[in-house]
Amino acid sequence: MLAREAEAAGVVHSMAYGDQPALICELVDWARACGFAVTAAGKGTKYLPAYHDSTPDTVWAHYGLDAEQAAAAGMNARMFNSFLDGTKSAIEMAAVANATGLGAPEGGLVFPPCGRDDLPHALRPRALGGQLEGPGMVEVVSSLERDGRPVYRDLRWGVYVTIEAPTNYAAACFRQYGLTTDATGRFAAMYKPFHLIGLELNVSILSAALRGEATGTPRSFTADVVAVAKRDLTAGTELDGEGGFTVWGRLTTAARSLADGALPIGLAHGVRLTAPVTKGQVVRWSDVAIDEADEAVSLRRALEAQARAAAS
């Protein structure tokens, strides 16, 4: 909704180039412009299932730091915890899905352990032996095996796209030009091993100012990030949002989020539960006391109403 308002006002509404979502969108644009079907797109991160329970009190041990070292470096525990507990990855992949039209996994990101050489194999639909619910999905790969061992040639700091050859000729070119492929030779991967965050921001600034072009902007309400309880929460508990002690953000489809009446992670801050929510359960609008007059809540309600009207 805000992207449409910005467009109507002649404002370029853009992701910051250098941040991973914009770089992923660039790879998707490249693949589609070349005529390839995008099988998957996403990024790498450090992930283990136990990280979903992490809080600002436990976060530094997962990074190999103590609280004093983190404080000396000016590191924010809540922010870094949102990186670790899966919330940031979910928000970024929702941004990519909504900008590109790629699908989101209904049950949340899988975070398969996967190195650069295994991208074309792992990032295929499950029906073909991969990890995806279906073709054309966003997904995040982990730099750690589930037992904590490092993944060989991990993509922790990078972004990727996996593509399918539309013809036998294209598949032959994948092989001839040395692309990393799966065993069939029909699925290949392109990736950037690093992102430079603010150091690449000028690409967004110059694209917006000189070409009036966004480096990634939402085009549809395809994906959503819903609040999930980190522990058993009692009625009266105040939720503390991204990177906090009470909830983490899980990616899902917009359709599933609306059907469940799920509370988006961005509004799960400073609101109190009116009903208990067990660990691992999605928090719903009906579970919290919400100020309907709040501007962010009003915008979200309008978005949901538009989405329901479009689906009917």
Side-chain angles (χ1 to χ4, degrees):
M1 290 177 63
L2 294 176
R4 285 199 295 270
E5 289 186 18
E7 186 175 5
V11 175
V12 179
H13 181 272
S14 181
M15 297 178 190
Y17 195 90
D19 281 350
Q20 288 168 307
L23 298 177
I24 297 165
C25 289
E26 180 185 53
L27 286 175
V28 171
D29 286 345
W30 166 83
R32 288 172 170 168
C34 293
F36 305 130
V38 175
T39 308
K43 67 166 198 168
T45 195
K46 180 183 178 182
Y47 170 84
L48 289 173
Y51 291 172
H52 292 311
D53 298 337
S54 180
T55 73
D57 285 345
T58 64
V59 63
W60 299 129
H62 296 304
Y63 283 103
L65 302 170
D66 59 37
E68 290 72 23
Q69 290 171 316
M75 299 166 72
N76 182 295
R78 188 176 295 268
M79 181 178 74
F80 276 82
N81 195 50
S82 74
F83 299 169
L84 191 76
D85 70 9
T87 302
K88 179 174 182 282
S89 290
I91 291 172
E92 290 181 330
M93 292 306 99
V96 172
N98 291 333
T100 62
L102 291 171
E106 187 176 85
L109 295 166
V110 179
F111 296 97
C114 182
R116 304 173 199 183
D117 302 323
D118 296 324
L119 289 168
H121 176 79
L123 280 305
R124 298 179 300 175
R126 290 172 189 158
L128 298 176
Q131 299 282 329
L132 304 178
E133 287 182 6
M137 308 286 289
V138 294
E139 187 54 80
V140 175
V141 295
S142 176
S143 64
L144 296 176
E145 301 287 354
R146 289 296 190 256
D147 62 4
R149 289 178 298 116
V151 165
Y152 177 66
R153 280 174 46 83
D154 69 79
L155 198 65
R156 179 178 177 183
W157 309 109
V159 297
Y160 76 88
V161 64
T162 57
I163 54 179
E164 183 177 3
T167 63
N168 290 335
Y169 173 75
C173 288
F174 288 172
R175 181 181 67 256
Q176 292 162 8
Y177 298 151
L179 268 71
T180 300
T181 69
D182 72 334
T184 71
R186 300 202 67 85
F187 293 89
M190 289 287 281
Y191 59 86
K192 294 184 70 172
F194 304 104
H195 68 294
L196 301 180
I197 318 176
L199 299 180
E200 296 178 293
L201 183 58
N202 279 348
V203 176
S204 280
I205 296 170
L206 295 173
S207 292
L210 300 181
R211 299 189 299 195
E213 181 178 295
T215 49
T217 193
R219 297 297 181 188
S220 62
F221 184 35
T222 299
D224 201 11
V225 183
V226 301
V228 176
K230 286 188 173 181
R231 54 182 171 82
D232 290 344
L233 303 173
T234 59
T237 300
E238 183 174 296
L239 303 183
D240 56 357
E242 300 97 323
F245 293 85
T246 57
V247 291
W248 61 280
R250 186 171 73 199
L251 183 68
T252 188
T253 63
R256 178 62 184 270
S257 174
L258 295 180
D260 289 346
L263 182 69
I265 188 67
L267 296 178
H269 189 279
V271 296
R272 291 193 179 275
L273 291 176
T274 58
V277 181
T278 58
K279 179 180 178 179
Q281 188 175 44
V282 173
V283 181
R284 293 172 168 80
W285 286 101
S286 58
D287 295 324
V288 296
I290 283 284
D291 179 7
E292 295 290 346
D294 181 87
E295 184 177 13
V297 173
S298 297
L299 283 170
R300 171 67 189 207
R301 293 297 203 189
L303 172 65
E304 293 186 352
Q306 285 189 6
R308 289 191 176 97
S312 63

